[in-house]
Amino acid sequence: MSVQERKQRERADRARLIVATARELAEQQGWDAVTTRRLAERIEYSQPVLYSHFRGKREIIGAVALEGAAEMAAALRAAAAAAPGPRARVTALALAYLDFADRNPAVYDAMFQLDGGLAFAREDTPAPLKDAFAALLETLAEVAGDGVHPALFTETFWAALHGLATLTRAGRLPPEHTGPRVELLVDRLAVL
């Protein structure tokens, strides 16, 4: 391995460490606790080293969001693949989405609530975000119904899931009714 390759690998390792540490700190204490000073202390590098990888907190939030989108896409695909039939796939997909949001609140915030500098629903949307949407679309397209554009249906279903995740987390909806809410959503929106 050349010196240049080793330096590139070390740089990529440092960037992953910064993102992992930011994510851990945000999950433990919230995004307000994530500062370049605290990150530098935790990873034992200077603040200029952090700034050589990310221009600031906004870019770190974006990196966490992209990592989270890839994880969410994998979780959604795995849940849908394990379920037999369209109804079971849509239900499994919805429950996996809500479970991801519940288990990863800081990551979910980075993906959908905070400004990570990422473009959504545009040509320049980063690939992990497009793939997370594709993971929803793959299952939901088959239940959109005749004459309904699959992407539009997916956006609407996703919006409903996001609302459920956000309202449940905020204590506005009791979590014990998540299953019945998902069943109602599937029954009323999906054409099965």
Side-chain angles (χ1 to χ4, degrees), residues 45-113:
Y45 283 103
S46 68
Q47 283 182 290
V49 170
L50 265 73
Y51 285 116
S52 74
H53 291 279
F54 300 99
R55 286 183 291 212
K57 184 175 176 177
R58 181 179 187 218
E59 283 189 5
I60 294 169
I61 289 169
V64 170
L66 294 176
E67 186 176 273
E71 291 171 12
M72 177 183 271
L76 296 177
R77 285 188 175 106
R87 172 187 265 305
R89 278 193 293 279
V90 174
T91 300
L93 175 96
L95 291 172
Y97 183 97
L98 296 172
D99 181 61
F100 181 89
D102 182 57
R103 286 184 299 103
N104 303 283
V107 173
Y108 192 82
D109 284 349
M111 292 168 66
F112 301 121
Q113 307 284 32

Side-chain angles (χ1 to χ4, degrees), residues 16-164:
R16 280 190 292 277
L17 178 61
I18 294 166
V19 170
T21 303
R23 182 176 175 167
E24 178 184 323
L25 187 56
E27 291 292 2
Q28 291 172 351
Q29 299 177 29
W31 278 104
D32 287 342
V34 179
T35 64
T36 54
R37 177 173 295 179
R38 289 187 80 187
L39 287 173
E41 289 170 3
R42 283 211 175 189
I43 65 172
E44 298 178 347
Y45 283 103
S46 68
Q47 283 182 290
V49 170
L50 265 73
Y51 285 116
S52 74
H53 291 279
F54 300 99
R55 286 183 291 212
K57 184 175 176 177
R58 181 179 187 218
E59 283 189 5
I60 294 169
I61 289 169
V64 170
L66 294 176
E67 186 176 273
E71 291 171 12
M72 177 183 271
L76 296 177
R77 285 188 175 106
R87 172 187 265 305
R89 278 193 293 279
V90 174
T91 300
L93 175 96
L95 291 172
Y97 183 97
L98 296 172
D99 181 61
F100 181 89
D102 182 57
R103 286 184 299 103
N104 303 283
V107 173
Y108 192 82
D109 284 349
M111 292 168 66
F112 301 121
Q113 307 284 32
L114 302 174
D115 179 10
L118 304 173
F120 282 82
R122 296 190 340 212
E123 193 148 321
D124 61 337
T125 298
L129 297 178
K130 287 180 180 180
D131 190 50
F133 185 78
L136 290 166
L137 181 63
E138 289 161 9
T139 296
L140 295 172
E142 70 179 307
V143 298
D146 293 337
V148 177
H149 192 282
L152 182 62
F153 178 78
T154 299
E155 289 170 350
T156 303
F157 200 94
W158 171 31
L161 290 175
H162 176 70
L164 290 174

